[in-house]
Amino acid sequence: MLFDTTQLVVALLWIAGAFALAIALIPLLGTLPPRGRFALISFVTFIAGLFFAAEFFLPVGEDNKNILTDPFQKMQGSLQVITALSLGLGTYGLVRLHLRNAVQRRPQWGYSLVLLVAFVVMAFFSIWNTMAEKGLFGIERTQLLENAFTLLFDYTLIQLDATMFSLIAFYIFSAAYRAFRIRSIEASILMFTAMLVMIGIVPLGKLISDSIGLPAVQTAEMRTNPFMLENILYNLRLPQIAGWIQETLNAPVQRAIEFGVGIGALAMAIRLWLSLERGIN
Amino acid sequence: MEARSIWERMMRIDRRILYVILAVNIIAALMARVAIEPDVPPPVKRFYDTVEALQPGDMVMVSSTWSAGTLAENQPQFEAVLKHLMRKRVRFTIISFAPPARDISHRLARRIAEENGYVEGKDWAHFGYTPDIIIAIKGMSEDIVQTIRQDVRRVPIADLEVMRGVKSLKDYKLVVDVTPSDTLGNWISYRPPDLKILYCPTSVMAAEAYTFLDSGQILGMITGAKGAYEYERLLGIVGLGTRFINAIQFSHVLIIFFILLGNFGMLMQRRASAS
Amino acid sequence: MSYQHAEDNWFAAILIAFIALAVLVNIWRARRGKALYIRRIPGLDAIDEAIGRSTELGRPVTMIPGLTGFGVEAVQALTIFKYITKQIARFATPMRLLTANATVYAVAQEAIADAYNEAERPDLYDADSVRFLSSEQFAFASGVAGLIQRERVAANFMFGIFYAESLIFAETGNIVGAVQIAGTVSFTQVPFFVAACDYTIIGDEFYATSAYISREPVLLGSLVGQDLSKISFASMIVGGSMISTFIGTDHPIVQLLGKPQGWQPFVEWLSQVLGR
């Protein structure tokens, strides 16, 4: 049984009520003057943001929850519903565009046709597969479904995904060849750093360092006497240099950028919450 | 005139030629039987030591959010980690936060489990796909049964032998996050405080994790296929990381060679123009 | 240590309130007419140049918000794209806005329609110019790459959160000879954009973009507030490093500044000191 009857009725009543409320609200919003609309939207935005902010700042009990924590988790669940609805809208837009291209034989309509056929076939077998997995409506897995799903998922989707990712290897090759030139001091630093890290992180870096006679192991004596020659030579090994660049150079810069980004995001969130951000309104 | 055109050509090799050269290089490297011992970096060593310190029967959560796109980087890590966990006879559960990740990780885990005598439901389980990672981690930190309810085979979590004595993430010793995306921040922010984290990112995402390694919020990290190779050497096994490492390192050498070639061409061309 | 609530670390919560206060105070100052300085960001100055080039060549402009889910980054990206669209509308240059998130797609449609309305060219708005391609990373990447190649775009603007697909976009744009300006908070993708794009906007310059473009007092004030917060943080780091050098890392003040559970020991120490 897919749903309990009572649950189904309750769910349908909720959905009908939400529709009725939305249908009533839209004309109401239309009758308001622009300033009134803006005030109403700002108010709703503020209350919604206040809810999340209050949940963070209110003290919690032994169970690490306050009065708003459980509704907060339900709210997050409702965001998933909005995401699912907007996915339907996006899919509709996509199919509409390509259907029109194919029907009206617009330029490159062949690609649109391929998309539509792939969309329908993949959706059909995916939905069938999910229903068979969950045993919905008595649907079972058949050999046709197994073969089709294996062909579409394992032999097509996975391979296409992996192929697109592997394009990056080729693209980074051409991008590095083109961009890493000694045009300026900064470009030179970028180039040399990249080369050091590239060779240092792979086993060849160790092989090169060993072959030129650099100490392979850091002994206890070297650790206690960091300025002794063997320790300096050990730290000139390519893997050590690459590790130093990644951990000691990269990490502080990363933190610095993250500070800025975090503060910027917080400032933007405050502006949106207080409706001070007019950008996309 | 002809000398200048050589340098110009050296600076501006057609990218299609570069792609062919790279492809040939990778194919040749994959077939080559060259084995070079790596210098195992400290994050990988700490990763290995953390798993090695587990006791039989301990619970581990493997968060698997990778799918076909990052197969080459995450699959070697995933397989090596599972083999190590099975060698230590720990119990583990797998959870996915991306839809395609569920099937890929489940199939791989089943294959490796069969090879190592692990029984699904008894020694390990797959919790399937959960859409919202934050809700999932918060929920699992309180009550896994209520949050997840059933495993990927639709068996109720409460009925799984592997979950005996486990109520929430607080009963887990470790979470291993195998991912190409930024799920790490969510694990760090929302996990129970005593739950340790090990991280298996793609090479690109690894740069972001050094701050967390430094602060001790993650205990160890294996980076892409290269990291998987180093981990496999510590484990003494031959896996995908070992098979891919030659392709990786010889591609790096090729890139460096062409960068130097391009710069050499640029310098010679400048000199020729000046004269 | 998790920070699900303020009580987990009150010091962190106080810092959040401090940042909020700094932003709001400077917004108030800006609204009162205080002139605020913002430094030049070359990548943003180049936007008009890129649009001009597209118009001359008669080739479209693409705008890509990446894999951004709907949040502050998406709002910021759409704000920038709205500005670009208003510039494009003046010259009737074709444009494509390609999204990987359906919520962003829904909002983008409205934002772009508004942009054409505000530019007084509603006739130019084509609903099909804003497209949702796919929520799957590499399906989206292949769709964008294909479109850039087929339509031979002349300018490519990438603002938002990107992952591995960033280089696919950037290099494809490079292949067709497009002028490319990228702005992202995704630290790991910055090197790819630097290598393949003409201009790259890094980190919190991305959040400064709307202030830079519009010069609105509210946004400029917010930017100054952010900078003051950053200076305070930097001072705390330097001060904390110096203090911990002299008095050791176990001191409660140092623990407050540097340790996740530092609030409780600090409060206890302070109570003891004040109690003396």
Side-chain angles (χ1 to χ4, degrees):
Chain A
M1 181 79 180
L2 190 57
F3 299 113
D4 176 59
T5 315
T6 320
Q7 279 184 333
L8 182 63
V9 167
V10 168
L12 285 172
L13 281 172
W14 270 107
I15 292 168
F19 263 114
L21 190 65
I23 289 166
L25 268 177
I26 291 167
L28 179 67
L29 281 173
T31 59
L32 286 173
R35 285 188 73 175
R37 259 201 305 270
F38 178 73
L40 181 64
I41 291 168
S42 303
F43 176 72
V44 172
T45 307
F46 180 76
I47 296 298
L50 186 65
F51 174 81
F52 287 95
E55 198 279 332
F56 179 76
F57 281 102
L58 284 175
V60 294
E62 292 276 323
D63 55 355
N64 207 31
K65 287 184 184 181
N66 55 40
I67 193 171
L68 294 178
T69 305
D70 284 332
F72 172 82
Q73 283 169 356
K74 286 192 170 64
M75 280 280 275
Q76 285 194 303
S78 70
L79 292 175
Q80 287 175 36
V81 173
I82 295 171
T83 307
L85 284 172
S86 56
L87 187 62
L89 179 66
T91 309
Y92 164 72
L94 185 72
V95 170
R96 185 193 66 181
L97 168 70
H98 290 282
L99 200 56
R100 202 174 329 128
N101 283 354
V103 165
Q104 294 177 4
R105 302 280 201 272
R106 287 181 181 177
Q108 296 163 355
W109 64 273
Y111 294 120
S112 296
L113 194 61
V114 169
L115 182 143
L116 290 167
V117 169
F119 179 83
V120 168
V121 169
M122 197 71 182
F124 175 73
F125 285 104
S126 296
I127 292 168
W128 185 1
N129 183 64
T130 305
M131 291 169 85
E133 259 181 18
K134 294 188 189 299
L136 297 174
F137 305 118
I139 292 171
E140 286 174 356
R141 299 186 75 83
T142 63
Q143 196 56 45
L144 169 66
L145 174 62
E146 287 276 354
N147 294 345
F149 199 74
T150 302
L151 176 69
L152 290 171
F153 187 72
D154 288 340
Y155 298 152
T156 312
L157 182 66
I158 286 182
Q159 309 314 319
L160 287 171
D161 247 355
T163 305
M164 284 304 298
F165 189 69
S166 65
L167 267 185
I168 294 170
F170 295 90
Y171 281 173
I172 191 63
F173 187 19
S174 58
Y177 169 73
R178 187 185 62 249
F180 289 171
R181 298 283 164 90
I182 309 175
R183 290 192 193 94
S184 63
I185 295 175
E186 293 93 348
S188 308
I189 293 172
L190 179 65
M191 186 187 87
F192 286 117
T193 312
M195 290 202 300
L196 280 171
V197 173
M198 269 197 283
I199 200 66
I201 60 173
V202 292
L204 268 175
K206 176 180 181 288
L207 184 70
I208 294 168
S209 304
D210 288 342
S211 63
I212 61 175
L214 294 173
V217 172
Q218 190 181 37
T219 61
E221 194 192 350
M222 285 154 70
R223 269 191 282 272
T224 50
N225 295 314
F227 293 108
M228 67 188 283
L229 180 64
E230 280 83 3
N231 194 52
I232 293 171
L233 290 174
Y234 171 78
N235 283 296
L236 289 176
R237 291 172 64 81
L238 287 168
Q240 268 54 47
I241 294 175
W244 183 83
I245 290 170
Q246 288 179 304
E247 290 169 27
T248 312
L249 272 189
N250 162 68
V253 169
Q254 155 106 50
R255 278 194 199 99
I257 293 177
E258 295 282 353
F259 271 127
V261 165
I263 293 170
L266 180 59
M268 178 110 191
I270 291 167
R271 294 200 305 268
L272 286 169
W273 181 30
L274 300 175
S275 300
L276 296 170
E277 178 72 37
R278 302 293 180 105
I280 56 170
N281 293 337
Chain B
M1 269 299 167
E2 193 171 309
R4 227 181 298 166
S5 71
I6 288 171
W7 310 128
E8 276 272 343
R9 269 188 267 144
M10 211 181 271
M11 277 173 61
R12 295 196 173 94
I13 300 172
D14 190 323
R15 51 169 48 96
R16 289 169 294 185
I17 297 173
L18 295 176
Y19 297 161
V20 168
I21 292 172
L22 181 64
V24 168
N25 177 72
I26 290 172
I27 292 167
L30 283 171
M31 295 194 299
R33 298 210 180 272
V34 175
I36 304 173
E37 201 59 34
D39 220 359
V40 178
V44 176
K45 190 77 179 56
R46 287 200 298 270
F47 191 112
Y48 173 84
D49 289 342
T50 306
V51 178
E52 198 58 20
L54 292 170
Q55 299 300 317
D58 282 346
M59 279 300 284
V60 172
M61 175 67 80
V62 180
S63 168
S64 172
T65 316
W66 58 279
S67 55
T70 55
L71 202 79
E73 296 218 85
N74 290 127
Q75 186 177 337
Q77 299 165 331
F78 185 74
E79 290 187 358
V81 165
L82 289 195
K83 285 175 184 169
H84 196 184
L85 292 175
M86 291 183 206
R87 182 188 290 186
K88 295 297 298 179
R89 310 312 295 173
V90 303
R91 296 178 286 166
F92 65 90
T93 54
I94 304 172
I95 189 165
S96 296
F97 298 107
R102 184 197 74 165
D103 286 332
I104 290 178
S105 57
H106 188 227
R107 259 178 299 139
L108 274 174
R110 262 205 333 247
R111 177 176 59 78
I112 297 167
E114 275 162 22
E115 290 167 7
N116 288 272
Y118 256 54
V119 176
E120 189 171 3
K122 181 169 170 278
D123 305 304
W124 72 283
H126 196 303
F127 288 166
Y129 160 64
T130 306
D132 193 309
I133 184 171
I134 295 174
I135 294 178
I137 297 173
K138 279 183 169 181
M140 287 194 294
S141 298
E142 301 299 322
D143 190 328
I144 288 186
V145 172
Q146 279 304 308
T147 308
I148 303 294
R149 296 180 191 273
Q150 57 189 23
D151 76 352
V152 73
R153 302 167 304 161
R154 298 174 60 222
V155 174
I157 299 288
D159 296 345
L160 294 174
E161 196 183 322
V162 67
M163 297 300 291
R164 217 168 276 168
V166 175
K167 188 177 176 289
S168 70
L169 278 178
K170 292 171 187 146
D171 299 313
Y172 281 72
K173 286 282 189 287
L174 191 58
V175 61
V176 182
D177 188 17
V178 186
T179 177
S181 54
D182 58 355
T183 49
L184 178 66
N186 295 313
W187 278 108
I188 290 175
S189 299
Y190 299 108
R191 56 158 179 165
D194 294 330
L195 184 63
K196 299 178 208 169
I197 303 178
L198 295 176
Y199 189 40
C200 300
T202 53
S203 309
V204 164
M205 299 302 289
E208 283 189 339
Y210 284 101
T211 48
F212 299 116
L213 265 175
D214 208 25
S215 63
Q217 285 162 305
I218 59 175
L219 298 183
M221 178 169 77
I222 54 179
T223 308
K226 171 206 75 95
Y229 168 61
E230 289 153 357
Y231 191 55
E232 286 165 10
R233 296 304 285 185
L234 290 173
L235 286 172
I237 62 174
V238 172
L240 286 177
T242 308
R243 282 162 48 194
F244 294 165
I245 190 63
N246 283 335
I248 295 169
Q249 61 187 349
F250 290 118
S251 302
H252 285 198
V253 170
L254 188 73
I255 291 172
I256 291 171
F257 172 74
F258 273 92
I259 289 172
L260 292 171
L261 190 71
N263 279 288
F264 180 70
M266 187 181 77
L267 289 169
M268 294 307 291
Q269 207 237 346
R270 275 189 196 161
R271 200 181 280 185
S273 304
S275 66
Chain C
M1 184 70 200
S2 64
Y3 292 111
Q4 297 184 43
H5 296 99
E7 207 167 281
D8 295 331
N9 189 331
W10 280 110
F11 184 62
I14 290 166
L15 284 180
I16 291 171
F18 169 74
I19 296 168
L21 197 65
V23 166
L24 291 170
V25 163
N26 281 283
I27 288 174
W28 174 76
R29 285 174 70 215
R31 272 184 159 166
R32 290 192 68 195
K34 180 115 177 88
L36 298 169
Y37 167 75
I38 182 171
R39 69 165 170 84
R40 217 180 133 255
I41 302 176
L44 300 179
D45 288 340
I47 287 176
D48 288 339
E49 193 187 303
I51 294 169
R53 185 171 175 273
S54 296
T55 309
E56 278 168 20
L57 294 171
R59 282 154 44 181
V61 166
T62 44
M63 296 183 275
I64 306 166
L67 290 181
T68 322
F70 194 72
V72 291
E73 294 87 4
V75 171
Q76 183 68 350
L78 290 175
T79 304
I80 299 166
F81 293 152
K82 196 174 168 188
Y83 167 79
I84 294 172
T85 305
K86 281 198 267 196
Q87 304 301 104
I88 283 169
R90 284 167 40 206
F91 305 112
T93 312
M95 58 76 85
R96 306 276 179 267
L97 198 161
L98 310 168
T99 67
N101 183 282
T103 315
V104 173
Y105 163 73
V107 178
Q109 278 190 315
E110 294 301 317
I112 299 304
D114 277 347
Y116 278 105
N117 286 336
E118 285 172 26
E120 293 171 2
R121 294 302 307 266
D123 52 302
L124 289 177
Y125 173 61
D126 175 10
D128 291 339
S129 61
V130 179
R131 297 182 194 180
F132 166 71
L133 296 183
S134 172
S135 52
E136 285 299 307
Q137 183 182 18
F138 289 107
F140 177 63
S142 65
V144 169
L147 190 138
I148 289 175
Q149 291 257 14
R150 284 193 306 274
E151 306 212 5
R152 319 261 334 139
V153 303
N156 187 19
F157 299 102
M158 296 171 282
F159 287 89
I161 293 176
F162 294 86
Y163 297 103
E165 77 289 350
S166 61
L167 186 61
I168 295 176
F169 301 155
E171 192 63 11
T172 309
N174 201 282
I175 288 170
V176 302
V179 172
Q180 301 194 94
I181 300 173
T184 182
V185 297
S186 307
F187 173 77
T188 50
Q189 307 310 314
V190 166
F192 301 124
F193 283 139
V194 165
C197 294
D198 297 282
Y199 299 93
T200 307
I201 288 150
I202 301 170
D204 56 331
E205 284 179 339
F206 174 73
Y207 291 113
T209 308
S210 53
Y212 189 88
I213 289 169
S214 65
R215 303 282 166 165
E216 252 194 62
V218 166
L219 301 178
L220 285 175
S222 168
L223 203 53
V224 170
Q226 285 167 228
D227 283 349
L228 286 173
S229 305
K230 268 186 277 181
I231 292 168
S232 311
F233 273 38
S235 308
M236 265 189 275
I237 290 167
V238 170
S241 307
M242 285 169 58
I243 292 171
S244 62
T245 305
F246 290 117
I247 63 176
T249 52
D250 290 331
H251 196 279
I253 294 177
V254 175
Q255 290 205 29
L256 174 71
L257 292 178
K259 270 192 124 158
Q261 296 106 319
W263 175 258
Q264 217 36 58
F266 174 75
V267 166
E268 283 163 14
W269 171 79
L270 196 63
S271 314
Q272 280 176 3
V273 164
L274 292 175
R276 274 196 209 135

